[in-house]
Every structure is written in C-alpha cells, then in structure tokens.
Amino acid sequence: MNNRWIIHVDMDAFYASIEEREDPSLKGKPLVVAKDPRKTGGRGVVSTANYIARRYGVHSAMSSSEALKLCPKAIFRFSGFQLYRAVSQQIHNIFHHYTDTIESYALDEAYLDVTNNKLGMTDPVQIGREIQQKIKQVTRLTCSIGISYNKFLAKEASDYTKPAGFTIVSVEDAPAFLAQLPIEKFRGVGKKTVPKMKELGINDGSDLLKLSELDLMKHFGKFGYSLYRRARGIDERPVEASRVRKSIGRERTFGPVLDSEVVVNTQLRLIAAKVIKDVAKQHKHGKTLVLKVRYQDFQTVTKRATFLDYIENNVDNYLEITSELLTNLPPVEAGVRLLGITLTGLDDLNYENLALNLF
Ligand SMILES: [Mg+2]
C-alpha cells in the first residue's frame, strides 16, 4: 500500500563541496575538511573528505593526523560551521517551499514528506527534480535524491547513485531493489554486524528474506525485528519535523551489577565515547554534564556539573568530571545497575568556539 511519498535529500560531500566552491583550485585534488594537523599539533577530527581523498581511505570522524598519514598529499581546509550552516539554511528554505514536514540530519541531509505538499503537486518525481535543480541554482552544489514510500527506502534510494543521483523506488520496484541491496547497505548493519551476516549466508536483501522473524531476532535482537520488516520494504516511521535537541546522552544497564570503581569507570569511558561521538556528529557542545546512576536497590540519582565554558568534548575530560561527581554519590560498592552520561546546555558548535576548544 502506498499512501506516502517521502523524498530523502543528501548533499554530496557537503562540506568538501562547499570548500571546492569557495576555492575552485581545490577541484581534482584530495581534500580533507579539517584543520591541518601540522598546524594543530596533530589534533582535530575529519569532518568529511571529497571523493578523491575517500579513495585513500579517509573518512569522517577519523583523526586528521591519521588522514594525513593515509593521504600525505591531502589538502586540509575548514572554513567553519557558520558557512556550512548558512548553506544548509538555503537548502532548507527550498524544502519549505514544498513542505514543512522536514526531518533534518546534520546539516546536509533531510527527509521530506511531500504527500500533502504545499503546492498540491501530485508527482513526487517533479518535486524531486525541482528541488535538485533549485539547490544547484542557489548553492552551486549537487545533491542526491531518493524518492520512495517510506524513510528507509528513500534513504537507500538517495544512496544508490551518488553524486547527483536521482533514484525512485516505487512499491512495484521495491522487492527487486531490496533483493539486490548488499547487506552492508542496510541501515544499522555496521562493521561488526557484517561478518556475522556473512557467516549466516546473508549477503544481500534476497538472503534476508530466507530467515524467519524469529531467527533474525534470535541472532540480532531488536534489530532483527526491524531487519525483517526492512527486507520487505516495511517502515512505518513518520517524517518528524525536527525539533531542537536540548541534550545528548547515552545510558547502559548492567546485569550482573557493577560493584567496583574500576569497572564503573571502564563503563563510563565507553558511554562517554558514544556521547562524544554523537555530540561531534551533531556539531554541538554544552556546558553541563549529567551523571546518572541506578543502584541495585533501584535508587536512581543524578548529579550534574555546570561550567562557564563549553566542556571539551573528549573522553578524559568527561571522565574527570564524572569521577568528581561520583565522589558525591553513594559508593558504587552498593552495586550499580545503570549508568548514564548526558550533555546538556547545548549550543551549535561554530567556528569561534571550535577554535577555542582546539587551542
Ligand atoms: Mg551528504
């Protein structure tokens, strides 16, 4: 049943393309969007890289010094999030011409539900074409567009051909499209899951169909439940107009309970690393860190530390703060069944305060 039309718009190598637009001499050269590690004492993280640098194995979220090692000829550029955000605003203005049901991811990616669009257009393909053309006209950048009847397929479609791709997956096309889709392309199948999939003989969407829902859940838990549906082109998630996030956090439950400070700190380190990744991905930073602890007797306590300056987004720093907070809590020897770390008091990371954090 097709009662929705969803467009997924994904800007092609967004930050890198902006840098190339600003300085056309970069075209054809491997470009890494990050501050030059030779000028930062090796610090810094890759925001993204153009397609040439990616061929050397450079990818977002790796350290910029690692990127330099992989691709010594790489040019490092980072004009700052103020510029990237301004361009993102331009593309969002174009989206709003058609619909306000826009769910944005980062600055360069969004789902649009155009089923009931503002212009009363009945052909989603025409809407997609117009959006792609207007983005090109206004920003001089390309995007890839996927159109389908749910979010999962729209996203897979935009990913199908890049850059400047345009892929439509209709209800009729979906079974064939999904059957050929390599398993690693299914959202949520990460580097760790792929080997397990291959072991089970699952190489693509058609292999997924051979496993029962129960089997998939047995092997992959809750994710198996959604995989079973995704393989059949089912995804009922609505496009939710994005709201401003006020906090970013992660928590983990433990059984058996943790009962020593060493073990608690090891777990806090793992949780902190995840929060830090989320925070970096969303280009945020915050001034308040919240530690949540649930004890064996289900007593749950939160403690927060607020700073005048933005908290530097690294594990050691988080750990220092949580250790301090822990000293004001009941002893962990009482048994800890849940730990959580949340960053609040969030702001967008922009060029000036990023520079402050780096140096
Ligand atoms: Mg993109």
Side-chain angles (χ1 to χ4, degrees):
M1 185 181 63
N2 176 22
N3 45 20
R4 293 191 294 164
W5 279 116
I6 291 162
I7 299 181
H8 183 254
V9 182
D10 187 8
M11 299 300 292
D12 299 322
F14 187 52
Y15 305 147
S17 304
I18 294 176
E19 297 293 349
E20 285 177 7
R21 182 189 76 179
E22 299 297 299
D23 178 0
S25 79
L26 295 171
K27 282 217 175 88
K29 296 174 187 157
L31 169 68
V32 177
V33 178
K35 295 211 168 178
D36 193 324
R38 286 161 292 202
K39 292 177 188 157
T40 62
R43 300 179 74 178
V45 171
V46 174
S47 288
T48 186
N50 71 358
Y51 292 100
I52 303 168
R54 286 181 198 187
R55 270 185 239 139
Y56 291 84
V58 177
H59 59 78
S60 51
M62 73 168 35
S63 77
S64 49
S65 42
E66 200 182 335
L68 180 63
K69 249 181 250 157
L70 287 169
C71 184
K73 282 191 192 143
I75 298 168
F76 288 80
R77 281 293 162 85
F78 180 77
S79 292
F81 290 112
Q82 233 156 24
L83 173 63
Y84 307 153
R85 241 194 313 277
V87 180
S88 180
Q89 190 57 56
Q90 287 180 309
I91 66 170
H92 279 80
N93 291 344
I94 294 169
F95 301 158
H96 278 289
H97 188 61
Y98 299 90
T99 180
D100 291 328
T101 311
I102 302 165
E103 187 174 336
S104 309
Y105 281 89
L107 295 174
D108 72 322
E109 226 184 276
Y111 294 98
L112 282 60
D113 189 329
V114 297
T115 317
N116 298 305
N117 59 82
K118 289 180 180 177
L119 304 179
M121 292 167 77
T122 50
D123 182 6
V125 177
Q126 194 194 338
I127 299 176
R129 293 271 179 221
E130 285 187 18
I131 288 174
Q132 200 172 36
Q133 278 161 13
K134 280 184 190 165
I135 286 179
K136 180 84 198 188
Q137 277 165 14
V138 172
T139 68
R140 289 186 286 131
L141 300 169
T142 64
C143 65
S144 294
I145 283 192
I147 304 178
S148 194
Y149 57 92
N150 64 40
K151 282 165 73 172
F152 165 65
L153 281 166
K155 169 121 179 151
E156 296 296 347
S158 75
D159 199 41
Y160 189 64
T161 45
K162 272 183 146 303
F166 195 94
T167 305
I168 307 142
V169 179
S170 66
V171 176
E172 294 74 34
D173 301 334
F177 179 81
L178 287 163
Q180 58 77 41
L181 204 62
I183 191 63
E184 52 269 28
K185 286 272 182 184
F186 281 78
R187 299 291 138 193
V189 178
K191 267 185 230 135
K192 282 182 210 145
T193 324
V194 172
K196 200 170 167 189
M197 290 282 178
K198 304 257 149 137
E199 229 169 81
L200 291 165
I202 308 172
N203 294 300
D204 57 26
S206 69
D207 295 329
L208 267 183
L209 292 176
K210 295 173 199 154
L211 274 87
S212 71
E213 184 175 4
L214 213 64
D215 275 338
L216 281 170
M217 285 180 72
K218 198 172 76 200
H219 291 294
F220 304 103
K222 229 193 286 174
F223 179 52
Y225 174 88
S226 104
L227 262 182
Y228 181 83
R229 278 155 187 78
R230 299 285 154 84
R232 288 158 179 79
I234 301 166
D235 175 15
E236 303 290 352
R237 292 172 303 156
V239 175
E240 290 180 289
S242 311
R243 40 185 197 269
V244 182
R245 288 194 66 172
K246 294 204 175 82
S247 67
I248 296 172
R250 293 273 192 149
E251 48 183 59
R252 247 188 109 171
T253 51
F254 307 99
V257 296
L258 316 177
D259 56 7
S260 84
E261 208 159 301
V262 176
V263 184
V264 165
N265 277 323
T266 305
Q267 291 301 330
L268 283 174
R269 190 167 277 277
L270 296 174
I271 297 167
K274 285 192 172 150
V275 176
I276 282 158
K277 214 170 155 194
D278 292 344
V279 169
K281 214 163 155 187
Q282 296 182 41
H283 306 298
K284 300 280 184 190
H285 55 180
K287 294 182 175 174
T288 301
L289 202 68
V290 185
L291 173 67
K292 178 176 171 186
V293 183
R294 179 170 298 143
Y295 292 89
Q296 187 151 27
D297 62 0
F298 284 96
Q299 182 198 6
T300 306
V301 213
T302 57
K303 281 274 173 216
R304 56 180 58 220
T306 300
F307 299 84
L308 282 175
D309 288 322
Y310 295 104
I311 296 166
E312 202 181 321
N313 202 36
N314 70 59
V315 173
D316 288 333
N317 199 37
Y318 276 38
L319 256 281
E320 206 173 295
I321 299 167
T322 55
S323 301
E324 183 66 32
L325 291 171
L326 264 180
T327 60
N328 297 313
L329 290 176
V332 299
E333 286 75 14
V336 169
R337 59 170 77 241
L338 178 147
L339 288 170
I341 298 176
T342 300
L343 185 71
T344 72
L346 296 181
D347 266 317
D348 287 331
L349 198 62
N350 63 40
Y351 186 75
E352 297 93 87
N353 42 43
L354 180 78
L356 262 178
N357 273 346
L358 278 173
F359 303 108

